[in-house]
Amino acid sequence: MGIKSIRKVDPVEDSKKVYPTVKDFLRLPVIYYNTVGLEPYDSSIGDKKRGILFHLYFVYQITNLLFWFSMECLYVVVSFRNNENFLNATMVLGYAGFAVVGAMKFISVMIRKSKMTILVKQLESNFPPPRAKEQEEYAVAYYLKRCHRFTKGFGLLYTSLVVIYNLFEILQYTIRSLLNSPNAKQTLPFVDMALWNYKDSWLFYVTYLSQTVAGYMATCGHISADLMIFSVAMQVIMHFDRLTLALKNFQVKNSSGSETGAEEDLKELKPLIAYHNQIFELTEVMNEVFGIPLLVNFASSSMLVCFVGFQMTLGMSPDRFVKLLLILVSALIEIYLLCLFSQMLIDASARVSYAVYDMNWMQADSRFRKMLIFLILRSQKPVCLKATVFLDVSITTMSSFLQMSYKFFCAIRTMYQ
């Protein structure tokens, strides 16, 4: 990645230009968090604080989600105990796993809100200032565009998923009712069970709305946390690439025979090493915030994929097949993107060691060379997304994920037969 040629900019004109900031990277995940009544981190000084109604709205959302999760668990227990509706029970169990991951991601953000605030502040402190020269050196516009390409695409995919699931049953019932079809039945979108009688009354629409809100809440849990990970990871990649470029362009002055060259080299290298350490601190805080949700995500998504795959191997109507296919594709894309971003982090951090090796270090002072050795050793330790201490995520994790899903699939298939 090269730096664009720097042109002369009028200071007055440059001060009026609006440059990207950390909030531009985080805007989309924050929007999803706000739609369910959650502020992922403490706002900066001067920002308007949220009122009590905003927090009560989140309490309603999480309570509603947990209620319908309990209904899904109850439905599965009753179905297995009575040895009936096995196919529906496996599908509802997949929904329950989806809801668990969404709730876990929200709860993790609430528990780790102080850490999230520290992470955002560290991102802001390391972000290039709003000036043309620094913004071009970091290629901020390029990384912001690249970040939006992933986040908007992923957000659109999961938003389409929840909209289709929320509207499918009610539209099907409405169309069949208008056609006076005998197959017109009032069915809820996720689990056809409640603690009250909702059939053939206005309670059906209230119950349906409550369940769709719970579905959106669970989906937002997936979307917002993953988008936050993508946005933070992309900024870390930007910093690694900027450090790599700075090391490649480093001119060793000691090689020219200057008496003060060695001291100047050390003086210029120390800020780069400190910058490298700051990037590592960003990834450590990021993994502290998202480690547990990542672990739960991989485990539950594996079960969801095998449940959906099991359903698709059996005979079913075309409309239900399309719904299941959409869930399967969404779950696989989610895991793939997490593995992809982690691999991008690994590659970006490894490029630092290659940049150090390409420097003209043989003519440098011995103290300078020793510092480079420690920098290379530090760079050779992969930086990646960590699902706690149990799993270091990379592109090869996708293969392990599919293998685990297949094992679950074989187990369920054996139980069914």
Side-chain angles (χ1 to χ4, degrees):
M1 188 272 302
I3 298 178
K4 298 178 181 179
S5 59
I6 301 175
R7 55 183 174 81
K8 293 183 179 181
V9 181
D10 185 0
V12 177
E13 179 184 349
D14 187 48
S15 63
K16 295 180 180 179
K17 187 175 180 180
V18 178
Y19 292 98
T21 64
V22 172
K23 290 184 178 180
D24 293 313
F25 282 86
L26 304 180
R27 179 169 289 115
L28 189 59
V30 170
I31 288 174
Y32 276 107
Y33 275 122
N34 291 162
T35 58
V36 295
L38 185 63
E39 199 71 65
Y41 56 87
D42 292 329
S43 302
S44 304
I45 298 175
D47 291 349
K48 186 177 179 181
K49 301 297 181 181
R50 299 291 185 176
I52 187 65
L53 292 178
F54 182 79
H55 299 292
L56 289 176
Y57 174 62
F58 175 75
V59 172
Y60 158 73
Q61 287 276 13
I62 196 70
T63 303
N64 184 61
L65 175 62
L66 293 176
F67 170 77
W68 287 113
F69 167 72
S70 64
M71 289 295 99
E72 290 170 343
C73 293
L74 180 61
Y75 180 88
V76 172
V77 171
V78 171
S79 298
F80 284 164
R81 186 181 60 187
N82 297 336
N83 197 23
E84 59 183 14
N85 297 327
F86 182 81
L87 298 181
N88 288 335
T90 56
M91 195 65 235
V92 173
L93 191 58
Y95 294 151
F98 188 85
V100 165
V101 177
M104 284 289 295
K105 288 184 176 181
F106 281 127
I107 294 172
S108 177
V109 169
M110 294 173 62
I111 296 175
R112 301 279 187 173
K113 186 175 183 179
S114 60
K115 283 287 185 180
M116 181 76 81
T117 303
I118 293 173
L119 175 62
V120 174
K121 289 182 178 179
Q122 288 181 346
L123 289 171
E124 291 175 343
S125 64
N126 288 285
F127 203 80
R131 293 191 294 269
K133 180 180 179 180
E134 286 80 358
Q135 293 274 321
E136 290 182 2
E137 286 178 347
Y138 282 77
V140 177
Y142 164 76
Y143 288 99
L144 179 61
K145 182 179 180 180
R146 192 179 179 191
C147 179
H148 283 172
R149 190 182 302 124
F150 283 103
T151 55
K152 290 181 179 179
F154 181 75
L156 179 62
L157 173 65
Y158 261 81
T159 301
S160 302
L161 171 68
V162 71
V163 168
I164 291 174
Y165 262 81
N166 284 346
L167 297 181
F168 183 83
E169 297 295 342
I170 192 69
L171 288 178
Q172 187 180 61
Y173 169 72
T174 302
I175 293 174
R176 287 178 177 177
S177 297
L178 293 175
L179 297 176
N180 296 320
S181 172
N183 296 323
K185 296 181 180 179
Q186 294 181 338
T187 307
L188 297 178
F190 298 104
V191 55
D192 207 20
M193 173 180 283
L195 297 179
W196 54 86
N197 183 17
Y198 57 88
K199 298 287 187 178
D200 302 322
S201 70
W202 60 272
L203 284 175
F204 167 75
Y205 300 98
V206 176
T207 307
Y208 194 100
L209 178 62
S210 176
Q211 202 167 113
T212 57
V213 170
Y216 176 77
M217 177 71 170
T219 306
C220 266
H222 283 260
I223 296 175
S224 52
D226 290 343
L227 294 187
M228 187 67 77
I229 293 174
F230 299 159
S231 301
V232 174
M234 186 59 71
Q235 292 181 69
V236 174
I237 293 169
M238 177 185 72
H239 288 298
F240 271 126
D241 288 346
R242 177 67 187 99
L243 177 60
T244 299
L245 188 60
L247 291 170
K248 284 183 177 180
N249 296 334
F250 194 99
Q251 298 296 326
V252 179
K253 299 179 178 61
N254 189 51
S255 60
S256 62
S258 173
E259 296 180 357
T260 60
E263 295 299 328
E264 292 181 6
D265 290 340
L266 291 172
K267 186 177 179 180
E268 293 181 15
L269 182 62
K270 287 179 180 178
L272 296 179
I273 294 177
Y275 183 36
H276 193 216
N277 293 333
Q278 291 171 356
I279 301 173
F280 272 95
E281 291 175 2
L282 286 175
T283 58
E284 289 174 0
V285 178
M286 179 179 64
N287 285 323
E288 285 184 33
V289 175
F290 297 108
I292 294 177
L294 276 174
L295 182 63
V296 176
N297 198 352
F298 275 92
S300 63
S301 295
S302 179
M303 297 182 64
L304 178 63
V305 167
C306 77
F307 287 146
V308 173
F310 169 72
Q311 292 270 331
M312 294 178 68
T313 59
L314 305 174
M316 63 183 66
S317 60
D319 54 350
R320 187 169 185 177
F321 180 84
V322 171
K323 290 172 63 178
L324 292 174
L325 181 62
L326 185 57
I327 289 183
L328 180 63
V329 171
S330 300
L332 291 176
I333 289 178
E334 179 184 17
I335 297 300
Y336 173 75
L337 287 178
L338 290 172
C339 295
L340 176 63
F341 268 86
S342 187
Q343 186 64 45
M344 290 165 61
L345 280 172
I346 294 173
D347 295 340
S349 62
R351 285 194 291 269
V352 175
S353 63
Y354 300 140
V356 174
Y357 185 78
D358 290 338
M359 292 172 61
N360 187 21
W361 51 267
M362 288 187 292
Q363 303 299 326
D365 183 76
S366 59
R367 294 170 296 172
F368 186 90
R369 295 199 299 268
K370 289 179 181 178
M371 294 176 70
L372 290 183
I373 291 174
F374 287 109
L375 184 58
I376 290 178
L377 290 174
R378 187 80 184 272
S379 302
Q380 289 178 342
K381 182 181 180 181
V383 172
C384 63
L385 297 175
K386 295 179 180 291
T388 66
V389 297
F390 297 102
L391 179 64
D392 290 348
V393 182
S394 66
I395 199 65
T396 57
T397 309
M398 189 69 189
S399 176
S400 301
F401 170 79
L402 294 175
Q403 291 177 2
M404 184 182 299
S405 301
Y406 180 72
K407 291 178 181 179
F408 279 127
F409 168 80
C410 292
I412 295 176
R413 186 77 178 179
T414 302
M415 291 173 57
Y416 179 70
Q417 293 175 347

